[in-house]
Amino acid sequence: MQLSQQIIEIYLRLEGLLLDSIGKVIGNGNGVTQNTLKQWQAGKFKDLSRLQNYQLQLIMQAAKKVNPKMRSMIREAAAEEARITTKEIQQVLPELEGIRFADSPNTRQALMELDLDAMTRLEMMNATMLKQSSSIYLEIITQASAEFVNGAITLEEALVKTGAKWSENGIPALIDRRGAKWSTEAYINMVVKNTQKNVANKIQNARFDDYDVDLVEVSSHAGCRPTHLDYQGRIYSRSGKSKKYPPLSSTSYGKIDGIVTGINCGHRLYVYIEGVSVHRYHPYNKKESIAKYKESQRQRLLERNIRKAKHQLSMLQSMQVDEKYLKDARRKVAYRQAQMRQFINQTGRTRRYNREQIVQT
């Protein structure tokens, strides 16, 4: 298994462990009455400190595994990108003698920046997950208690309802400046993919600088982001000094959702030397490309929905709730899997079963 997937799975398993630990401490509320509710609440609030200590240990254990893997992933990706880029440059400029990757001050600086950025993101993620886990624990107790007092349902029913909602949402790993909450799954995937993208872009640019490369060609492919369609398959000047080709800065290159630099972007820069290179890439049909992109996004949504239903089932199992609630959760998983089968039959796309799985705890 690749290091990138190992890192993602460690955090997905961590999220599952955190959710299950919340469920185990809260329990199913069986036997609690209106008269004993406050006593039950007091006991659960008292248990919070013990839960936080346990969850802190889980997060520290995960960080101990992840941090060295992240550094190794950065170096492996950097060496591979340097190899590919250097080979591409030497194919069109065989007479040019450049700087060895290991001796390049540009690449050394890039690696230092990449390490710092990745470790900072992971530390912020760990702190957020610990804090948000406590918040979810308290929210489940508070919301379930309110529904129990105000509604004609048992505490167990209220806990199933609120616990299912929070387990499906997952544990936030980031709260951004807009106040939007990123799930652990979404954020760790973003961190890994963003780090890989940054490695590729920074190392490629470092090697371009080592060889004084200015003109570059952007690759093209069907199903790309609609905002990238007008930029792909064209030639640009990195310096912006070319009178024939537009500057690379006139595109969305460099932005988090930009051409080449976007997290899930499949585009790449290639060295272009006038009179030597052959213009290999050309823009695709815009209508067909947008249709393929929408299909891919729909499939990702269905995959997420299946995983959310499985997390819900796992947390309810940890709460040891009545079997009838587990049957409902299993039916939800089955229904969402049926939606995926229907989508695949309609579109002819390939089903990615691995993207529908959760890491078992």
Side-chain angles (χ1 to χ4, degrees):
M1 186 188 298
Q2 293 183 335
L3 285 169
S4 58
Q5 191 58 37
Q6 290 178 37
I7 292 168
I8 291 170
E9 292 205 357
I10 288 171
Y11 269 102
L12 293 184
R13 184 172 188 274
L14 173 62
E15 181 185 35
L17 289 169
L18 293 175
L19 286 170
D20 288 351
S21 68
I22 291 172
K24 287 176 183 176
V25 175
I26 289 178
N28 56 31
N30 192 24
V32 178
T33 66
Q34 297 276 358
N35 293 330
T36 60
L37 177 63
K38 287 189 176 180
Q39 183 180 354
W40 176 84
Q41 287 177 318
K44 296 305 174 185
F45 292 148
K46 188 176 180 181
D47 288 337
L48 177 58
S49 177
R50 176 169 58 86
L51 175 64
Q52 288 174 326
N53 289 334
Y54 175 69
Q55 291 184 329
L56 177 60
Q57 292 301 313
L58 291 176
I59 291 172
M60 289 174 64
Q61 289 170 10
K64 190 175 180 180
K65 296 177 183 177
V66 165
N67 290 356
K69 290 181 185 294
M70 179 64 82
R71 292 191 180 93
S72 295
M73 185 194 78
I74 289 172
R75 274 146 188 78
E76 285 185 10
E80 179 63 10
E81 180 60 42
R83 184 191 67 77
I84 294 171
T85 302
T86 303
K87 182 179 179 180
E88 291 170 354
I89 294 171
Q90 291 176 341
Q91 283 176 342
V92 293
L93 297 170
E95 74 288 348
L96 192 62
E97 188 173 336
I99 304 172
R100 289 175 62 248
F101 169 67
D103 299 329
S104 169
N106 291 322
T107 55
R108 281 199 297 270
Q109 180 64 32
L111 285 171
M112 288 175 58
E113 293 172 359
L114 289 163
D115 271 346
L116 179 61
D117 181 67
M119 292 303 115
T120 300
R121 286 176 183 271
L122 291 176
E123 287 174 7
M124 290 175 60
M125 182 176 179
N126 294 338
T128 301
M129 289 182 72
L130 180 61
K131 183 177 180 180
Q132 290 300 310
S133 292
S134 297
S135 296
I136 289 172
Y137 175 80
L138 294 173
E139 285 287 343
I140 292 174
I141 294 170
T142 303
Q143 290 178 15
S145 296
E147 292 214 20
F148 176 45
V149 171
N150 298 325
I153 59 175
T154 65
L155 181 59
E156 182 178 28
E157 290 174 317
L159 286 170
V160 168
K161 182 179 177 181
T162 53
K165 181 187 75 174
W166 283 104
S167 62
E168 181 156 340
N169 291 337
I171 296 176
L174 173 73
I175 300 177
D176 63 26
R177 293 176 181 177
R178 299 169 298 168
K181 294 182 177 180
W182 290 59
S183 69
T184 298
E185 179 181 350
Y187 190 59
I188 188 57
N189 271 281
M190 192 277 283
V191 168
V192 169
K193 289 178 181 179
N194 188 52
T195 299
Q196 290 174 319
K197 266 292 180 182
N198 285 342
V199 171
N201 295 329
K202 282 182 176 290
I203 297 301
Q204 185 179 60
N205 275 308
R207 295 310 277 163
F208 284 166
D209 290 340
D210 289 339
Y211 284 87
D212 295 322
V213 170
D214 183 44
L215 297 181
V216 290
E217 179 182 359
V218 177
S219 64
S220 60
H221 60 85
C224 74
R225 292 180 185 177
T227 53
H228 294 179
L229 282 168
D230 292 335
Y231 300 133
Q232 67 174 359
R234 305 185 190 281
I235 299 165
Y236 299 94
S237 167
R238 295 176 65 232
S239 68
K241 296 178 180 180
S242 173
K243 294 180 180 180
K244 184 176 180 180
Y245 300 104
L248 187 60
S249 60
S250 66
T251 70
S252 58
Y253 180 87
K255 297 179 181 179
I256 196 168
D257 58 351
I259 185 89
V260 179
T261 55
I263 295 171
N264 291 312
C265 180
H267 292 105
R268 178 178 173 80
L269 296 180
Y270 291 93
V271 178
Y272 187 81
I273 305 297
E274 279 197 299
V276 178
S277 302
V278 176
H279 192 175
R280 296 172 290 182
Y281 295 93
H282 301 277
Y284 278 79
N285 179 280
K286 184 174 288 189
K287 186 177 180 180
E288 292 178 3
S289 188
I290 290 175
K292 287 187 177 182
Y293 177 77
K294 287 182 177 179
E295 283 185 358
S296 71
Q297 294 306 294
R298 174 63 179 167
Q299 186 169 351
R300 297 295 88 77
L301 174 62
L302 293 173
E303 290 165 352
R304 287 195 298 272
N305 287 343
I306 291 171
R307 292 194 300 268
K308 285 180 179 180
K310 289 181 177 180
H311 272 303
Q312 187 179 109
L313 173 61
S314 179
M315 185 170 181
L316 292 180
Q317 288 172 328
S318 72
M319 294 169 70
Q320 297 182 336
V321 299
D322 190 271
E323 180 61 26
K324 64 181 180 181
Y325 301 115
L326 297 180
K327 286 182 179 178
D328 288 340
R330 292 189 187 101
R331 277 195 289 268
K332 179 180 283 190
V333 173
Y335 173 72
R336 293 183 178 182
Q337 289 172 330
Q339 286 183 311
M340 175 63 82
R341 286 194 296 272
Q342 183 181 33
F343 171 79
I344 294 298
N345 290 336
Q346 290 173 344
T347 62
R349 292 179 65 85
T350 301
R351 188 169 178 179
R352 308 292 185 185
Y353 288 96
N354 61 308
R355 293 177 177 171
E356 300 173 18
Q357 304 302 314
I358 64 172
V359 179
Q360 298 298 321
T361 59

